[in-house]
Amino acid sequence: MKKILFYCFGLIGTLMLLAQTCQTTKPPQPAPTVTVIGPPIPLAVPANFPQPRLDTSLKITAAGVALGRVLFYDGDLSSNRQIACATCHQQANAFTHHGHRLSHGVDDRLSRRNAPPIQNLVWAKNFFWDGGVHHLDFTPLTALRDTAEMNSDIEAIRFKLEHSRIDYNGMFDKAYGTREITSQRLLRALTQFMSQLVSASSRYDRYSRGEDTTLLTKQEKEGLQLFRSKCSQCHQGELFTDYSFRNNGLAATRKREELEFGMTEEQKVRLLATRDEGRYRVTLNKKDRYKFRVPSLRNVQYTGPYMHDGRFTVLAQVLRHYATGIEDSPTLDPRLRKGKKLGIPMTDDEQKKIIAFLKTLSDPEFMKDPRYADPRLTRYSKL
Amino acid sequence: MKLILILLVLSSLVALPHQRTPTTKVGDRHRVSIHFSLQVDEQPLTLDSLRYTNRFGERYALSSLAFYVSNVRLLRGEQAAYAIPQDSSYFLIRAADRPSQTLSLPQVPPGTYTGVEFIVGVDSLRSVSDISHRTGVLDPTEVTEEDGAMYWEWNSGYIFLKMEGYSPQAPLDPSGRRSFQYHIGGFGGYDEPGLNNLKRVRVLFPRALTVGKGAVPQVNLAVNLNQVFDGPNPIRLSRTPSIMFSPASKQVADNYATMFSLQSIQNQ
C-alpha cells in the first residue's frame, strides 16, 4: 500500500485523479487473518482467582506474545518515536506511570488521567477509568492516536515498522504465518502480550491459597480483617475490584498544589476549569456523574499516585480521605454515608493496619519477571 | 445433421432453466449497485462552497462528510429479503471519495426486489466484536486526510455520521473560525443501555426491480444533506454548532434518517 501510494505521488502533477483512486481503493483480496499459528499457551489461572473473562477464542502463542512484547516497548508506535506503551506503563511499577499524577501524552486526552496498571486484564470486565473500552484489543488505540498527535494512522506505523532495525515482518510471519503488518495483527499481538501480565504471587496470594499461612504478620492480618469489613464491598474478591463504577467522594474542586509540577499554565487552567465526569461520559446518564471504576488494589504500593487524576501521592492520604475527607454529592456511593455521617470511621491505628495489609498485595516477582521486561538493552537505540 | 443441431438447441433450452431453478449458485448471482447521490436540496454536493441555506436562513458550506451504511438488505415484498452477507455489508460513504459512494453488491440472487433497507451506522454486535472483525472500513486505526478518524477510541465505537463545515452564522470557535461539526454515533451501550443512534432506513421502489436478466441494475438514492438541519428536529447551527457524543445527537440522527429517497433505477 505504501509503495502504491509512493508511485501515485510520483505521477501526481498530471495524474491527480489516478492518485486519488489509488489512495482510496483498498486491495480487493481478503485481509491477512489475525489467527496465530503454533501451539497455544494455556493461561494458568491462579487457584484463588475466578475464571478469566477474555473471550476463550483468543489463542495465545509464544510468537504472538514475543511480538506483542517488542511492540509494547517500541517508541516507533508514536510519531516522535519517543513514547512507547512502556513509557506510561512501566514494569517496575506494575506497569503504571509512577510519580506522574497524570500521564503525559502529546494531546491532553490521556494526560487528564492517571495510567492504570496493566495486570490481570484477562479478568477485567471493562477498561479505562470510565469503562469506555470494552475489549482489551482496543485499549491501545487512545494512546496510539494521542501520542502521535493524530498522525498515527496505521500507514505511518506500518512504514516505520517495516523500516525498523527489528525484523518486524519476520516476527509477524512467525506469529501469523505471513509477513503482512496490519492494524488487526498489531493490536492482537499487544493483547497477546498483555494477557500474560498476571500478578498472583504476592505474599497475600500465597497466604490466601494456603501455601504459607505464616506469611502475614499479626498487624497485616488485622489489617486484612479491617479491610474486609470496611473496603471490600467495593474492592471485592481476589482481584480487589468488582469493576463497578462508583463515586468515592473525591472533592469536586482540585487544588492548584495538587497539579503536577511540569504542567504548563495552560494545562493547569484547563484542568482546574473542567471536571472529569467519569462514567457519565460513556452512559450520558446523570446518575453516573463523577463515578469511576473501582480500581484493583494489587501492587498498590507501587502504583501511586492514586485515583483517576492522581491527586493523592501516598496511601496515608487515601486512608485519610476515606476516614475524614469524603465530600457529599448526589451520586456519592451510599456505602460512604451512614445517616448524616460521611466516610468510613477508622482510627489512625486502623488506617495504619490497613496500609500494612495493602502492602502484602505487592508482587515483586511480577515487577521483576524477565519475561515481561524490555526485550532490548537500550530502549530508544534507534534515535 | 440438421436434426442433431435442433436437438442440441432444444436440449440446451430445456437444460438451462432446469439448472437454474433449484438453488442460487454463485454463477447465478448478479451484481447490483447502489449509488448514494450526495446532494443539498437537489443540487449535487460541492464541498467548501458557501451556497447552501437551511430553513432558518443560515448559509453554510460543508467541508467534509462521511457516514457508515451497513446491514444492507434488498426487500422482496413485506416479509422476505435478501441480506448481503454480514462481512461484506459495511460501507463508508465519503464525500471526498467518489468510488465510495457506490456500493457494489456482487452476489444478488435473481428475483424481483421491492426496496432496499440499511442501517446508517455500525450495528451493536459488530461495534463490540474483537479486532479480528474490524477490517476494511471498520479498521479503527484508519484515518483519512479529509474525514479524520471515524472511531472514538476513548469511548469505543464508530462515528456513524460526521459532517463538518462553516457558516457565517456559526459562532467563532477557539481557532477563530465560524465552523460547525456534528459527529454522531452511539450503538446503544455495551454493558448498560446507552446512547442509541442506530437508524434503520427503508427506501421502497415504486416499480419492482428485476435482477437476473444480464443487466447490472443501479439504484440511485438521493441523499439530501440539508435534512441534517431541516429534518423533523430543525437545528440552528448558530445555536448548536458542535454536536458530538451527547443527548442532542439524537435529534441529528433522527434528522439524517430522513435524508434518503429514491432518485432513479437504471439498468446498465
Side-chain angles (χ1 to χ4, degrees):
Chain A
M1 186 65 193
K2 207 70 213 179
K3 257 203 193 126
I4 298 175
L5 267 180
F6 184 75
Y7 290 130
C8 286
F9 286 120
L11 292 169
I12 235 166
T14 44
L15 294 172
M16 280 294 280
L17 235 161
L18 176 63
Q20 204 186 350
T21 36
C22 283
Q23 234 179 332
T24 49
T25 316
K26 297 228 165 70
Q29 72 266 37
T33 72
V34 299
T35 315
V36 283
I37 55 169
I41 312 177
L43 185 77
V45 179
N48 54 331
F49 276 37
Q51 277 308 302
R53 269 184 233 271
L54 192 65
D55 51 88
T56 43
S57 64
L58 177 70
K59 190 176 131 191
I60 310 283
T61 61
V65 172
L67 171 60
R69 178 179 167 200
V70 175
L71 289 166
F72 191 87
Y73 283 95
D74 194 343
D76 268 0
L77 297 192
S78 69
S79 61
N80 61 9
R81 304 202 149 181
Q82 305 254 9
I83 300 171
C85 307
T87 310
C88 297
H89 300 287
Q90 299 168 355
Q91 184 185 16
N93 303 295
F95 297 95
T96 59
H97 204 182
H98 186 68
H100 290 264
R101 286 212 169 107
L102 304 162
S103 299
H104 302 293
V106 177
D107 183 43
D108 73 342
R109 186 153 278 155
L110 280 182
S111 56
R112 269 168 202 275
R113 295 204 179 146
N114 185 222
I118 297 189
Q119 58 182 3
N120 305 339
L121 292 185
V122 292
W123 284 274
K125 230 192 215 174
N126 41 45
F127 303 91
F128 284 24
W129 283 100
D130 54 16
V133 177
H134 354 104
H135 194 292
L136 189 53
D137 289 346
F138 298 82
T139 52
L141 289 174
T142 315
L144 288 183
R145 216 163 267 165
D146 276 17
T147 55
E149 298 167 286
M150 311 299 288
N151 277 324
S152 92
D153 63 306
I154 191 62
E155 287 302 331
I157 293 178
R158 191 185 302 155
F159 183 82
K160 278 188 277 182
L161 297 188
E162 275 170 356
H163 295 81
S164 170
R165 286 209 326 216
I166 301 164
D167 176 21
Y168 273 113
N169 291 105
M171 294 193 81
F172 275 78
D173 188 22
K174 268 200 192 130
Y176 298 107
T178 64
R179 299 168 62 82
E180 283 102 326
I181 297 174
T182 66
S183 57
Q184 291 79 22
R185 288 178 162 190
L186 182 145
L187 293 171
R188 246 310 146 83
L190 287 167
T191 294
Q192 298 249 331
F193 173 63
M194 292 194 286
S195 73
Q196 299 303 291
L197 304 179
V198 176
S199 171
S201 317
S202 66
R203 277 195 295 133
Y204 166 79
D205 285 301
R206 281 178 277 151
Y207 170 84
S208 172
R209 290 193 289 262
E211 291 161 16
D212 187 346
T213 47
T214 64
L215 272 176
L216 299 198
T217 65
K218 182 164 162 290
Q219 193 201 25
E220 289 162 352
K221 281 183 191 159
E222 285 171 16
L224 170 59
Q225 288 318 314
L226 287 164
F227 182 86
R228 287 203 173 131
S229 69
K230 296 181 188 294
C231 318
S232 65
Q233 313 98 297
C234 300
H235 298 284
Q236 229 178 61
E238 293 297 87
L239 293 157
F240 296 89
T241 169
D242 59 358
Y243 298 100
S244 62
F245 301 93
R246 298 171 190 276
N247 175 346
N248 73 340
L250 296 174
T253 45
R254 305 279 313 274
K255 297 189 194 78
R256 201 158 241 281
E257 313 86 82
E258 282 176 3
L259 298 183
E260 184 144 4
F261 182 63
M263 284 181 126
T264 65
E265 186 56 29
E266 200 191 331
Q267 284 173 317
K268 280 186 189 171
V269 169
R270 198 163 43 212
L271 271 168
L272 290 172
T274 55
R275 186 173 176 197
D276 190 335
E277 294 183 298
R279 182 68 176 162
Y280 174 78
R281 290 204 321 166
V282 173
T283 63
L284 300 178
N285 186 335
K286 283 197 184 81
K287 75 167 178 42
D288 288 333
R289 280 228 161 88
Y290 315 122
K291 289 188 181 173
F292 291 87
R293 189 181 65 176
V294 176
S296 165
L297 300 179
R298 289 183 164 273
N299 292 308
V300 72
Q301 181 180 1
Y302 297 94
T303 61
Y306 304 106
M307 305 302 168
H308 69 272
D309 52 10
R311 64 175 68 191
F312 301 132
T313 37
V314 292
L315 286 170
Q317 286 172 311
V318 174
L319 272 290
R320 221 174 300 134
H321 161 74
Y322 282 111
T324 57
I326 301 284
E327 188 171 282
D328 200 2
S329 67
T331 57
L332 177 68
D333 197 275
R335 287 164 191 78
L336 298 172
R337 188 200 303 278
K338 295 257 151 40
K340 280 213 168 102
K341 280 237 167 81
L342 296 181
I344 303 174
M346 287 179 285
T347 63
D348 285 355
D349 186 52
E350 288 175 325
Q351 295 180 32
K352 285 209 183 83
K353 284 176 177 155
I354 291 178
I355 292 174
F357 160 69
L358 289 176
K359 292 183 177 169
T360 70
L361 296 173
S362 299
D363 181 354
E365 263 176 52
F366 173 65
M367 286 173 278
K368 291 199 190 103
D369 195 323
R371 292 173 301 167
Y372 312 147
D374 190 341
R376 285 166 293 165
L377 284 175
T378 45
R379 196 159 297 176
Y380 306 120
S381 54
K382 279 189 277 44
L383 278 177
Chain B
M1 189 60 201
K2 252 186 188 167
L3 191 74
I4 294 173
L5 243 174
I6 290 168
L7 274 177
L8 264 176
V9 170
L10 268 178
S11 66
S12 62
L13 278 178
V14 174
L16 255 177
H18 186 72
Q19 271 180 348
R20 276 200 183 175
T21 34
T23 52
T24 45
K25 282 174 290 170
V26 174
D28 298 334
R29 298 197 164 203
H30 301 268
R31 182 179 299 277
V32 171
S33 62
I34 299 182
H35 178 68
F36 287 83
S37 168
L38 305 181
Q39 311 176 348
V40 178
D41 288 340
E42 288 167 22
Q43 306 282 315
L45 170 68
T46 309
L47 288 177
D48 291 310
S49 154
L50 191 60
R51 63 165 80 159
Y52 308 118
T53 313
N54 66 18
R55 73 159 70 172
F56 298 108
E58 296 171 321
R59 287 170 61 228
Y60 65 91
L62 297 183
S63 52
S64 71
L65 169 98
F67 61 89
Y68 278 104
V69 164
S70 72
N71 293 266
V72 181
R73 285 152 39 97
L74 288 173
L75 306 175
R76 287 186 181 126
E78 276 301 305
Q79 305 297 324
Y82 165 70
I84 308 307
Q86 195 65 33
D87 280 339
S88 335
S89 209
Y90 295 92
F91 305 91
L92 180 60
I93 314 275
R94 301 175 54 224
D97 177 18
R98 220 158 227 300
S100 77
Q101 295 158 18
T102 304
L103 322 188
S104 175
L105 315 176
Q107 303 258 299
V108 179
T112 50
Y113 294 92
T114 55
V116 60
E117 192 186 80
F118 51 86
I119 287 175
V120 186
V122 176
D123 56 281
S124 57
L125 199 63
R126 189 61 61 125
S127 294
V128 302
S129 69
D130 70 60
I131 192 70
S132 65
H133 300 102
R134 312 299 188 92
T135 51
V137 296
L138 294 177
D139 188 334
T141 64
E142 200 67 44
V143 178
T144 62
E145 206 180 304
E146 300 87 356
D147 300 308
M150 292 296 287
Y151 191 82
W152 282 313
E153 66 288 345
W154 51 272
N155 186 5
S156 292
Y158 294 92
I159 298 172
F160 300 161
L161 175 135
K162 196 186 231 187
M163 182 164 117
E164 300 192 346
Y166 40 91
S167 160
Q169 279 75 38
L172 280 174
D173 66 18
S175 67
R177 293 177 68 241
R178 298 193 180 273
S179 65
F180 64 89
Q181 49 280 123
Y182 299 146
H183 298 184
I184 313 300
F187 60 84
Y190 172 64
D191 38 10
E192 288 179 59
L195 185 65
N196 190 337
N197 279 324
L198 286 167
K199 295 290 166 203
R200 191 177 283 280
V201 169
R202 183 178 266 229
V203 179
L204 298 179
F205 306 150
R207 228 175 312 126
L209 164 72
T210 306
V211 173
K213 293 227 177 79
V216 180
Q218 171 159 320
V219 176
N220 290 308
L221 298 180
V223 183
N224 181 7
L225 296 160
N226 193 50
Q227 284 298 103
V228 174
F229 301 110
D230 286 2
N233 312 301
I235 288 172
R236 281 178 198 268
L237 48 78
S238 52
R239 252 186 231 157
T240 42
S242 177
I243 302 179
M244 300 200 183
F245 195 81
S246 69
S249 66
K250 285 187 189 166
Q251 308 192 343
V252 184
D254 284 339
N255 281 359
Y256 66 62
T258 66
M259 70 184 175
F260 303 91
S261 62
L262 184 73
Q263 186 168 16
S264 65
I265 296 183
Q266 289 166 348
N267 275 308
Q268 287 177 342

